[in-house]
Amino acid sequence: MALRVPTNSGGDRGDFSLIHISESVPMYHRSALLLTLLAVNIGVSEAHGQENEPVQIYVGTYTESDDQGINLLEMDPDSGQITLKGVVATTENPSFLALHPSKPLLYAVNEVGQYEGESSGAISAFRIDPEAGKLTLINQQSSKGGAPCHIIVDSEGKNVLIANYSGGNVAVLPIEADGSLGEANAVAHEGSGPNPRRQEGPHAHSINLDATERFAVAADLGIDKYLVYRFDPESHSLTPNDPPASSVQPGAGPRHFDFHPSNRIAFGINELDSTVTAFRFDSEAGTLTETQTVTTLPPDSDISNSTADIHVHPSGKFLYGSNRGHNSIAMFRIDEKAATLTPIGHQSTGGSTPRNFVIDPSGRFLLAANQATGSIVVFRINQDDGTLEQTEFQVEVPSPVCLMFVPRGS
């Protein structure tokens, strides 16, 4: 007996496999086997179809009119082609975004200096329409500091953590059962740096959790420190670690930070002197120990530049940082054992002022958001040497500042 069973192995629709079953097998066993083969094939087909479904990407922006806000993109996960779907929420200066780990919820900073009569920005909670990607506002809370510029959500979905740039502090906001945000619990930074224009006081620029989520690292541009906090998700609080910080070169201006997948090393990008600092990280003690600081610019470059974003490749083999002025992505090879970096080169971002960039979950593509030219450009990542190759794909979005991939199933 021969059965023609449809397959979905990456070929054209309508492909079949010929399965031979001995006539000595009882009929009821043959029927059961047929049903099993069909069920397995359907599962494979559904999984294969999901792999080819477009991936959603939310885009945080600086807004100049009432009809601007958070945009939605779709990306073909195979080719990297991106398509702009339009504005899905109108809100003021949603410059940085974060997604809930298990619920259809998105959180955004509103990077403003005044909120409800206070010298503060705001944090907005949105519910996501899983089909269309539209966002519905749940509530807003004061950020307890001006110009909130970075936001993350813990892996349990219990807390939002933020950095307030002009407020010079970091804060934790509890997430309620309905996805709304509770009142912020803020911790102030103190100090200054040698740059009188940019470092007259503290300027918290980002906050990140390590893999254990026992510690949070806050990069403060104004005081040249990467501060380490013990994080308690149940009490929604941050407590200074002992020691409380790792200092970098005076005038460096720490901006963004990223942990290596191993959780044993980490990297901070310094805005004012265009450098990257590599650290060893002790996940038991929460300490950062500097191992190396390297420039993000080509040798002998005299161009006016400031850095912005930094990300480790999912493989842990490469590191990328963005240059504003040189308008490039600086590429490095990571030596995990030595906790050091080797420069690979630079790739133009195809636009001006790459404020933010993101690596897709598969590690095959990098998307750069060029704030000044209003463009998002797709690059293919060479998996062997970490270099970038610009593709033909890009879209125009006014003042893009943050790119956030939506995990499948969210």
Side-chain angles (χ1 to χ4, degrees):
M1 177 181 179
L3 301 174
R4 295 178 71 238
V5 179
T7 65
N8 194 341
S9 57
D12 297 330
R13 292 179 182 271
D15 287 352
F16 288 85
S17 292
L18 196 63
I19 307 297
H20 293 276
I21 302 175
S22 172
E23 295 292 341
S24 64
V25 176
M27 179 57 71
Y28 65 89
H29 282 167
R30 286 183 241 164
S31 299
L33 180 57
L34 174 59
L35 290 173
T36 300
L37 290 168
L38 289 173
V40 169
N41 179 73
I42 290 170
V44 170
S45 297
E46 289 178 348
H48 183 79
Q50 185 183 36
E51 289 175 1
N52 289 283
E53 289 178 358
V55 179
Q56 292 183 323
I57 306 165
Y58 285 107
V59 183
T61 67
Y62 283 131
T63 55
E64 298 178 357
S65 64
D66 293 339
D67 61 351
Q68 295 178 357
I70 300 172
N71 285 259
L72 180 67
L73 305 181
E74 285 189 349
M75 187 181 90
D76 183 310
D78 292 326
S79 69
Q81 181 174 2
I82 53 176
T83 305
L84 178 62
K85 309 304 288 186
V87 176
V88 290
T90 54
T91 187
E92 188 175 8
N93 287 347
S95 64
F96 224 90
L97 314 174
L99 289 161
H100 192 281
S102 59
K103 297 179 181 179
L105 301 168
L106 180 144
Y107 299 93
V109 304
N110 294 103
E111 192 175 333
V112 296
Q114 292 289 319
Y115 175 70
E116 294 188 342
E118 298 180 354
S119 296
S120 175
I123 309 297
S124 297
F126 294 93
R127 190 171 308 282
I128 300 172
D129 177 345
E131 296 299 323
K134 294 284 187 179
L135 303 175
T136 302
L137 182 67
I138 302 173
N139 79 326
Q140 284 184 318
Q141 284 282 6
S142 167
S143 66
K144 295 295 181 70
C149 58
H150 193 250
I151 183 170
I152 60 171
V153 180
D154 66 13
S155 65
E156 296 295 319
K158 295 180 178 179
N159 299 275
V160 161
L161 292 81
I162 61 168
N164 290 303
Y165 180 81
S166 63
N169 63 32
V170 291
V172 181
L173 293 83
I175 298 175
E176 308 296 347
D178 64 353
S180 63
L181 292 170
E183 187 175 349
N185 181 13
V187 181
H189 294 176
E190 296 181 353
S192 60
N195 185 321
R197 187 175 67 87
R198 298 292 308 279
Q199 295 184 308
E200 79 294 344
H203 293 297
H205 220 309
S206 64
I207 187 163
N208 296 86
L209 288 167
D210 82 305
T212 70
E213 299 204 343
R214 296 173 55 224
F215 300 100
V217 175
D220 195 303
L221 181 146
I223 61 176
D224 292 320
K225 291 180 179 180
Y226 290 92
L227 298 99
V228 182
Y229 292 95
R230 290 184 176 271
F231 171 57
D232 185 343
E234 302 304 324
S235 64
H236 320 293
S237 63
L238 296 168
T239 306
N241 191 46
D242 182 18
S246 180
S247 297
V248 290
Q249 182 71 21
R255 181 182 171 95
H256 276 205
F257 188 85
D258 201 14
F259 284 97
H260 189 270
S262 69
N263 207 43
R264 293 190 294 267
I265 57 177
F267 307 93
I269 195 163
N270 306 308
E271 176 177 340
L272 301 183
D273 70 355
S274 297
T275 61
V276 169
T277 300
F279 299 94
R280 291 195 187 278
F281 176 66
D282 184 329
S283 61
E284 291 298 319
T287 54
L288 292 168
T289 303
E290 181 179 344
T291 58
Q292 181 191 33
T293 293
V294 295
T295 181
T296 64
L297 294 171
D300 302 322
S301 174
D302 60 358
I303 193 168
S304 177
N305 187 75
S306 63
T307 63
D309 204 9
I310 187 169
H311 292 289
V312 178
H313 189 270
S315 69
K317 296 191 297 183
F318 312 111
L319 179 75
Y320 303 93
S322 61
N323 285 308
R324 299 174 297 176
H326 192 252
N327 296 325
S328 66
I329 301 294
M331 303 171 286
F332 303 90
R333 184 176 296 105
I334 297 172
D335 183 328
E336 183 181 345
K337 185 176 181 180
T340 57
L341 299 168
T342 301
I344 296 172
H346 298 80
Q347 170 64 51
S348 168
T349 60
S352 179
T353 319
R355 175 70 175 261
N356 178 250
F357 66 93
V358 69
I359 300 170
D360 88 295
S362 75
R364 292 183 297 164
F365 299 101
L366 183 149
L367 283 67
N370 294 300
Q371 179 186 342
T373 48
S375 62
I376 298 170
V377 182
V378 181
F379 298 84
R380 187 170 285 103
I381 302 174
N382 185 308
Q383 302 300 298
D384 294 324
D385 62 15
T387 57
L388 304 177
E389 177 187 6
Q390 184 171 340
T391 71
E392 61 189 291
F393 306 123
Q394 62 178 289
V395 297
E396 294 183 359
V397 176
S399 298
V401 183
C402 175
L403 302 171
M404 184 65 56
F405 273 91
V406 180
R408 291 188 184 278
S410 296

